[in-house]
Amino acid sequence: MVHHSGSIQSFKQQKGMHTSISEILKEKSLKPSRRSLPCLAQSQTHPINLNHFLSVPLSPDSKPEVEGLSQSISTSCSLLPPQTADEGKDNYVEESEVTTRKTRADESIQLQKPVTRAKLEARTYSLQGKNPADSSGLFFRDGKKRIDYILVYKKSSPQVEKRCTFEKNLRAEGLMLEKEPSLTNNDIMFVKVHAPWDTLCKYAEQMNIRMPFRKKCYFTDWKSKTLGSRFHLRCRQIKSWLPRNPMKLDKEALPDLEETDCYTAPFSRARMHHFTINNRETFFSNSTRSRIVHHVLQRTKYEDGKSKMGINRLLGNSTYEAAFPPHEGGYKSRHPIKTHGAQNHRHLLYERWARWGIWYKYQPLDLIRRYFGEKIGLYFAWLGWYTGMLIPAALVGVFVFLYGLFTMESSQVSKEICEANTTIMCPMCEETCEPWTLSDSCVYAKVTRLFDNGGTVFFAIFMAIWATVFLEFWKRRRAELTYDWDLIDWEEEEEELRPQFEAKYSRVERVNPISGKPEPFQPFSDKLSRLMVSVSGIFFMISLVLTAVFAVVVFRLIVMEKFASFNWKFVKKNWQFATSGTGVCINFMIIMSLNVVYEKVSYLLTNLEHPRTESEWENSFALKMFLFQFVNLNSSTFYIAFFLGRFAGRPGKYNKLFNRWRLEECHPSGCLIDLCLQMGVIMFFKQIWNNFMELGYPLLQNWWSRRKMKKGGGGGQNVENKAQLPQWDKDWNLQPMNAHGLVDEYLEMVLQFGFTTIFVAAFPLAPLLALLNNIIEIRLDAYKFVTQWRRPMPARATDIGIWHGILEGIGVLAVITNAFVIAITSDYIPRFVYAFKYGPCVNKGHHHVDECLRGYMNSSLSVFDMGNSSQPRYCRYRDYRAPPWSPVPYEFTLQFWHVLAARLAFIIVFEHLVFGIKSFIAYLIPDMPKDLCDRMRREKYLMQEMMYEAELEHLQMERKKNGRRYHHEWP
């Protein structure tokens, strides 16, 4: 008592602050945040036009009657046992399931005893321009109980006993069930699941779901009044003069997101009086209700035994065909949204997010989070942030490319290659090939200039810093989102064990050091043995990738000889382009084929490990998928960047593979163009393929389902108008979200991030291609989630999981690879050494760069004596070796060692410089904004005070009610 009173007194005496908590709560917020959990929970499940209609009373006389009726209905439902509430509607006799929909509808109408409630609903739907019968798509047949989950099974399935036991146990857990036959397939039966109020409260308390209990006051309220008010006012005036940002969504476009901000706390039935419960039907949002039902479905048994539980196992053994929460209605309307408003949240998402016409608008993240859950909301927040950060990277990359384009004709190296009509190059093969002139590769040299120029080094440093800035600012953005979405304390409170883990290790238990409760435990020896098997599988699959790369290398060697001796002059002249192009195409087909195998192997190895929680399972699966696909996608790129042409040997002493095929050499202007071609082709075609598989494939599947539905292929009715179907039938005909959740979505973007940063020195247009792809990707994913997929289970998450660590690892790897690409793959270092050590500008003061490179091409080519009188005796090849007339013929020259030393020195200096800049930037940018830290600390303090006052007020009211005397101190 002394501690609390002292803290309150000191709190009152602070300068510039209010004198009581009640005064703080009355103060109007000047800078509200966007926490989405509402105090007035009616706005949580209905668009604003529906809220308005639901709040309109029929008449002054009927208002008390309706309120009393709704209260009595909720009270009676909570007192009745679940079996009684649904008795007579759903028997476990299979013959009763084949009754027609019309008979069931007539029976449900006869059971509707409360006439006043039926009139109220009819009035509500008529105000919206809808038929009350349309509510059957979202409610039970009585029109009152909201459908929280849908289970689908086939009547011909032999697993009747398991299904009946499972549904009986669901009723015992407090859920209500109702069955409905499909209109499109006589063999399909739907089980509608509803969670009553008492069941929701029970599991909300077990799951530690945070719910609103008081209106929020802000730290910035009193701070803005004392600090910088004139400055902020002047800034707001200047901002009002500027034109409106066209990328922002209108506030009128998302009226449903205008909510009252609240403090939240883990729900407790014992402290229910603390929470703001204005309407029991809408206190728990649709996504929260679905999450609670999913929690029950995951932990309900269908047979005796600890391992016989969970909807996932029933889906695996075909007891059920599908399980999903229903969509909130259709996504299209005959009336424009601006004049008639949104029909539901799905319609609002389609109009303000998934349509192609608003591709330039910001995403409505709060609405996405409310409809699909925090996990999917964080993915789209990260994707939008990544896409926005690509804009400056793409602009700088375009400038570097344009610099190479404008200097392509004036480049001294390109000029010397194009004018070298008398320079005879050594044959590319020893039997059928002939010597060729250096000027034949003029086009090749000019194209190389586009990507191998002075701006390459600058752009590589810029992209390394860009990757750090992107990740550091994403941490700040994520902190703001977790605060706004009330996820600060979620991870520690609500991480749940996987049912498979509980079933596997239920015999061995230990006390959880955090909760103090016994839980299943995986012994270290078992975990280590499973991990070793998984690691062995990973190395085996990586070796398979390297084998495929080796096969592509052999293919390139074979076709190189064929193209170099081709009869068609055009192919013979451009044999290097032909070799690289065919090699890239073959490599791309191998990559896409192996990806299918890797997914199945990753799934098998992850299940073998038996991860403890869902997040651990997803992180383990994501890491394996990333390792497999990263090696699969980049192994051939690493070969071209660091091994192509390094071990070819020299004329007269070429290194051969299997003593048959000569190893491939680089062009006299360098190997960078081969690397650029490899990256461009794979990145372009892979993005096209991914976009087709993400949207085109579901579109084709849904089209085929609609076609069969119209023809009555499932034995059901021939439904011409899809709008006549109830919502569960429409959702059943959509495609399910892939079994791996968001792993495929993140994996695609993370691999693209690797392509954008790791070899960006060789392909400065990579950020531009990534930006254009992501603008399309956001709307593709949005359209897919809203229109083509069933509604996924709204899951929660505090961050993007293991992907953040993978992104940081890619950022480190990008610095190293770019240093090696500039030093080894490109000709930047050899040109630099020649200009300042061997060129015409040595000891002659400052000159133009091109003038200092005069004679570079001749200096970089060595001489070989062919000893053949029928052809020119001497030919040139790319290397730094002594001529045949030297005392030590064909040995490395001093220039070779100078270039090698300069390359090593550049790698060391570049890496230390960029890593130092990255670390300094990471140190300067805190992970969480300071004003957010201050706001969180103040809210924590105020929440403790409000809990104290609320409890004191409640106890005083109890004493008043009981007629006891009370005092103002803590009882």
Side-chain angles (χ1 to χ4, degrees):
M1 172 60 201
V2 177
H3 171 73
H4 273 284
S5 60
S7 62
I8 296 176
Q9 190 67 24
S10 62
F11 168 73
K12 294 178 179 180
Q13 293 176 357
Q14 293 183 19
K15 184 177 179 180
M17 297 179 63
H18 301 282
T19 58
S20 68
I21 301 296
S22 58
E23 292 181 6
I24 298 176
L25 295 177
K26 292 178 181 178
E27 184 67 31
K28 186 177 179 181
S29 172
L30 296 180
K31 185 182 177 182
S33 68
R34 292 304 307 272
R35 282 216 191 188
S36 299
L37 283 176
C39 289
L40 300 176
Q42 287 182 351
S43 64
Q44 195 148 348
T45 55
H46 304 287
I48 190 167
N49 58 338
L50 303 189
N51 292 337
H52 173 70
F53 294 138
L54 289 174
S55 63
V56 176
L58 297 179
S59 65
D61 299 334
S62 62
K63 183 177 180 180
E65 182 182 358
V66 173
E67 290 179 354
L69 178 62
S70 63
Q71 185 176 0
S72 64
I73 290 174
S74 62
T75 307
S76 61
C77 289
S78 63
L79 294 176
L80 284 175
Q83 294 85 350
T84 307
D86 204 34
E87 187 177 357
K89 295 182 184 178
D90 183 21
N91 298 321
Y92 291 101
V93 181
E94 295 297 329
E95 288 79 2
S96 65
E97 298 170 352
V98 194
T99 56
T100 61
R101 180 178 175 82
K102 182 177 180 180
T103 306
R104 288 174 176 253
D106 295 338
E107 292 176 357
S108 64
I109 293 174
Q110 294 175 4
L111 293 174
Q112 289 182 355
K113 296 180 180 179
V115 182
T116 309
R117 178 62 180 266
K119 290 181 179 179
L120 175 62
E121 290 187 354
R123 173 60 185 265
T124 302
Y125 279 92
S126 64
L127 285 173
Q128 301 175 56
K130 297 180 181 179
N131 193 324
D134 294 340
S135 64
S136 62
L138 299 175
F139 296 88
F140 275 26
R141 289 191 295 270
D142 60 3
K144 303 171 187 176
K145 301 181 184 68
R146 175 174 292 275
I147 300 174
D148 298 319
Y149 227 86
I150 298 291
L151 305 179
V152 187
Y153 69 89
K154 289 183 178 180
K155 289 184 284 187
S156 59
S157 172
Q159 308 287 352
V160 178
E161 185 178 354
K162 292 181 181 179
R163 183 173 65 251
C164 292
T165 305
F166 182 70
E167 293 175 1
K168 181 180 178 181
N169 291 335
L170 288 179
R171 291 170 176 271
E173 292 292 335
L175 299 180
M176 294 184 179
L177 310 180
E178 185 178 75
K179 295 188 178 181
E180 199 81 34
S182 172
L183 294 181
T184 59
N185 192 331
N186 288 333
D187 193 32
I188 294 296
M189 184 67 70
F190 297 101
V191 181
K192 298 177 284 186
V193 184
H194 167 75
W197 170 256
D198 289 345
T199 305
L200 292 172
C201 294
K202 170 186 173 182
Y203 283 100
E205 184 175 11
Q206 289 184 11
M207 299 169 65
N208 289 321
I209 295 178
R210 302 181 70 89
M211 300 303 293
F213 71 97
R214 282 298 175 97
K215 186 181 183 299
K216 186 186 299 182
C217 56
Y218 296 96
F219 171 74
T220 54
D221 293 352
W222 61 271
K223 185 177 179 180
S224 60
K225 295 179 180 179
T226 56
L227 301 175
S229 57
R230 289 185 179 180
F231 175 75
H232 292 302
L233 180 61
R234 180 65 62 184
C235 290
R236 284 195 295 269
Q237 289 178 351
I238 297 175
K239 190 176 180 180
S240 63
W241 297 338
L242 298 176
R244 181 179 170 274
N245 187 357
M247 299 176 67
K248 288 186 177 180
L249 287 166
D250 299 334
K251 291 183 179 180
E252 300 175 356
L254 298 173
D256 192 41
L257 294 181
E258 298 297 331
E259 298 172 339
T260 306
D261 295 303
C262 301
Y263 290 105
T264 60
F267 185 79
S268 172
R269 288 178 290 180
R271 296 175 177 267
M272 194 176 294
H273 53 276
H274 287 174
F275 297 91
T276 308
I277 306 177
N278 297 316
N279 188 345
R280 287 188 174 188
E281 297 297 326
T282 57
F283 178 66
F284 294 102
S285 67
N286 289 343
S287 59
T288 304
R289 297 173 68 101
S290 299
R291 191 155 53 92
I292 292 174
V293 173
H294 180 77
H295 175 86
V296 179
L297 294 175
Q298 287 281 64
R299 282 155 179 78
T300 301
K301 291 186 177 181
Y302 57 87
E303 280 184 0
D304 294 334
K306 293 186 177 181
S307 62
K308 308 297 184 179
M309 65 160 55
I311 188 64
N312 289 341
R313 290 182 178 270
L314 292 177
L315 291 172
N317 60 26
S318 299
T319 302
Y320 288 99
E321 298 297 318
F324 53 87
H327 276 295
E328 296 182 5
Y331 64 89
K332 285 188 178 180
S333 174
R334 293 175 296 177
H335 306 289
I337 190 174
K338 290 186 178 179
T339 57
H340 291 74
Q343 290 183 335
N344 49 66
H345 285 160
R346 189 186 183 196
H347 180 212
L348 189 61
L349 277 171
Y350 176 77
E351 292 290 338
R352 302 306 181 193
W353 181 45
R355 283 195 307 110
W356 295 102
I358 55 172
W359 61 270
Y360 59 94
K361 295 284 188 180
Y362 292 138
Q363 300 182 87
L365 295 177
D366 289 329
L367 188 60
I368 298 169
R369 168 251 180 176
R370 183 187 303 175
Y371 194 81
F372 293 110
E374 287 80 1
K375 192 172 186 178
I376 294 177
L378 273 175
Y379 163 71
F380 281 104
W382 176 83
L383 180 57
W385 186 260
Y386 170 47
T387 304
M389 289 293 291
L390 279 173
I391 296 177
L395 291 176
V396 177
V398 170
F399 289 149
V400 172
F401 176 78
L402 292 177
Y403 171 76
L405 181 64
F406 292 145
T407 60
M408 182 173 59
E409 296 293 338
S410 61
S411 171
Q412 181 64 32
V413 178
S414 300
K415 285 182 181 179
E416 292 185 0
I417 292 178
C418 295
E419 296 172 358
N421 297 323
T422 59
T423 303
I424 305 299
M425 303 298 296
C426 295
M428 298 305 302
C429 55
E430 298 180 353
E431 296 178 359
T432 59
C433 299
E434 298 178 354
W436 53 286
T437 59
L438 183 60
S439 59
D440 292 342
S441 60
C442 177
V443 177
Y444 202 92
K446 289 183 178 180
V447 174
T448 303
R449 176 64 180 178
L450 292 175
F451 306 100
D452 189 3
N453 53 66
T456 302
V457 178
F458 163 76
F459 190 54
I461 297 175
F462 172 82
M463 288 303 296
I465 298 173
W466 172 86
T468 302
V469 172
F470 160 65
L471 292 175
E472 292 300 322
F473 276 100
W474 163 246
K475 292 178 185 178
R476 296 167 62 89
R477 177 61 176 158
R478 171 202 161 266
E480 294 173 353
L481 288 174
T482 52
Y483 169 78
D484 291 342
W485 294 351
D486 204 26
L487 297 170
I488 299 296
D489 302 323
W490 173 79
E491 185 174 2
E492 296 180 358
E493 296 175 353
E494 303 188 33
E495 190 71 15
E496 303 165 0
L497 297 179
R498 297 181 71 235
Q500 294 84 350
F501 180 86
E502 291 179 329
K504 178 69 176 178
Y505 300 103
S506 57
R507 297 180 181 179
V508 182
E509 291 186 348
R510 74 167 184 178
V511 177
N512 189 312
I514 306 300
S515 63
K517 299 179 182 178
E519 67 177 19
F521 171 69
Q522 183 181 15
F524 177 77
S525 58
D526 181 80
K527 186 175 183 178
L528 181 62
S529 60
R530 293 178 179 275
L531 188 61
M532 293 300 295
V533 173
S534 180
V535 171
S536 301
I538 292 174
F539 278 108
F540 173 77
M541 297 306 296
I542 291 178
S543 64
L544 181 62
V545 176
L546 300 179
T547 304
V549 173
F550 180 76
V552 174
V553 171
V554 174
F555 172 80
R556 289 174 63 106
L557 297 180
I558 296 174
V559 299
M560 179 185 70
E561 290 190 2
K562 299 297 181 182
F563 287 143
S565 59
F566 210 70
N567 294 328
W568 191 7
K569 186 178 180 181
F570 177 78
V571 176
K572 186 176 182 180
K573 184 177 180 181
N574 300 281
W575 60 269
Q576 287 180 314
F577 275 119
T579 302
S580 300
T582 54
V584 169
C585 294
I586 295 295
N587 186 39
F588 176 75
M589 288 188 288
I590 294 176
I591 287 172
M592 303 312 296
S593 301
L594 289 178
N595 282 345
V596 180
V597 180
Y598 296 151
E599 183 175 347
K600 298 183 181 299
V601 173
S602 300
Y603 191 80
L604 178 65
L605 293 177
T606 306
N607 285 335
L608 181 66
E609 294 176 5
H610 284 294
R612 180 174 173 271
T613 61
E614 287 294 339
S615 61
E616 290 181 6
W617 186 96
E618 187 171 318
N619 289 341
S620 178
F621 178 76
L623 181 61
K624 293 179 182 61
M625 286 290 291
F626 171 75
L627 287 176
F628 290 156
Q629 295 209 20
F630 181 81
V631 175
N632 186 29
L633 194 65
N634 293 283
S635 53
S636 58
T637 310
F638 272 90
Y639 163 75
I640 293 176
F642 305 126
F643 297 99
L644 179 62
R646 310 299 166 196
F647 310 101
R650 62 173 179 83
K653 196 179 179 181
Y654 283 115
N655 297 323
K656 295 183 179 182
L657 185 64
F658 303 132
N659 293 323
R660 171 64 180 86
W661 296 291
R662 221 176 80 184
L663 295 181
E664 198 173 354
E665 295 182 72
C666 288
H667 186 266
S669 60
C671 289
L672 199 66
I673 190 61
D674 295 273
L675 179 59
C676 175
L677 184 63
Q678 174 85 6
M679 290 185 58
V681 171
I682 290 182
M683 191 173 185
F684 179 76
F685 283 106
K686 191 174 187 302
Q687 289 178 351
I688 292 179
W689 176 258
N690 288 337
N691 290 336
F692 169 76
M693 292 301 295
E694 286 187 2
L695 184 62
Y697 186 64
L699 278 173
L700 291 176
Q701 288 181 313
N702 291 334
W703 171 81
W704 184 253
S705 299
R706 290 193 301 269
R707 185 173 179 271
K708 290 198 305 182
M709 183 177 62
K710 289 181 179 180
K711 291 185 177 182
Q717 304 176 20
N718 191 348
V719 182
E720 294 293 337
N721 187 5
K722 188 181 177 182
Q724 298 175 359
L725 292 175
Q727 190 60 47
W728 52 80
D729 244 326
K730 296 178 184 177
D731 291 352
W732 165 245
N733 289 314
L734 297 177
Q735 296 303 309
M737 186 178 179
N738 55 63
H740 310 136
L742 293 171
V743 171
D744 292 338
E745 312 294 333
Y746 276 115
L747 181 63
E748 178 187 354
M749 290 295 103
V750 170
L751 291 175
Q752 183 203 85
F753 179 81
F755 253 78
T756 306
T757 55
I758 292 179
F759 293 104
V760 73
F763 191 49
L765 292 180
L768 178 62
L769 291 181
L771 174 63
L772 297 177
N773 175 79
N774 288 5
I775 292 175
I776 300 174
E777 179 77 17
I778 290 176
R779 303 305 162 181
L780 274 180
D781 286 348
Y783 186 81
K784 176 179 61 179
F785 270 91
V786 174
T787 67
Q788 301 302 311
W789 276 1
R790 298 171 194 160
R791 187 177 183 180
M793 201 282 292
R796 307 199 85 187
T798 57
D799 54 23
I800 61 176
I802 198 174
W803 299 109
H804 189 273
I806 293 176
L807 290 171
E808 289 186 334
I810 290 176
V812 173
L813 181 63
V815 176
I816 301 173
T817 53
N818 281 303
F820 276 87
V821 166
I822 296 172
I824 297 177
T825 310
S826 74
D827 269 8
Y828 178 80
I829 298 300
R831 292 197 300 263
F832 183 84
V833 172
Y834 177 82
F836 291 94
K837 181 65 177 177
Y838 299 95
C841 299
V842 178
N843 300 326
K844 292 185 179 180
H846 179 72
H847 291 275
H848 193 269
V849 177
D850 288 336
E851 295 181 2
C852 297
L853 289 176
R854 189 175 299 145
Y856 165 75
M857 205 67 244
N858 184 63
S859 174
S860 62
L861 297 177
S862 300
V863 181
F864 176 70
D865 186 2
M866 293 188 292
N868 190 354
S869 58
S870 61
Q871 295 178 349
R873 180 176 179 180
Y874 298 106
C875 66
R876 310 294 296 271
Y877 62 98
R878 180 183 170 85
D879 209 341
Y880 295 101
R881 293 182 181 269
W885 53 82
S886 173
V888 282
Y890 306 120
E891 293 293 328
F892 288 117
T893 62
L894 183 62
Q895 187 175 357
F896 169 83
W897 300 109
H898 285 165
V899 171
L900 180 61
R903 282 173 168 167
L904 296 177
F906 176 83
I907 292 173
I908 296 174
V909 172
F910 182 89
E911 289 182 356
H912 283 72
L913 175 65
V914 176
F915 278 133
I917 296 175
K918 284 169 65 72
S919 302
F920 182 68
I921 291 176
Y923 172 78
L924 288 181
I925 303 175
D927 294 346
M928 186 177 294
K930 187 177 184 304
D931 60 336
L932 181 59
C933 293
D934 295 338
R935 190 185 306 171
M936 289 172 56
R937 292 172 61 187
R938 176 162 174 78
E939 284 189 6
K940 186 177 180 181
Y941 169 76
L942 292 178
M943 189 164 56
Q944 293 175 351
E945 297 292 335
M946 282 187 292
M947 291 289 286
Y948 167 81
E949 287 194 356
E951 191 67 25
L952 180 61
E953 181 181 353
H954 175 69
L955 293 176
Q956 289 175 352
M957 291 178 62
E958 290 292 327
R959 288 193 173 188
K960 278 186 178 181
K961 186 184 298 183
N962 297 331
R964 299 179 182 178
R965 299 180 62 185
Y966 63 94
H967 303 280
H968 290 284
E969 69 272 5
W970 183 267

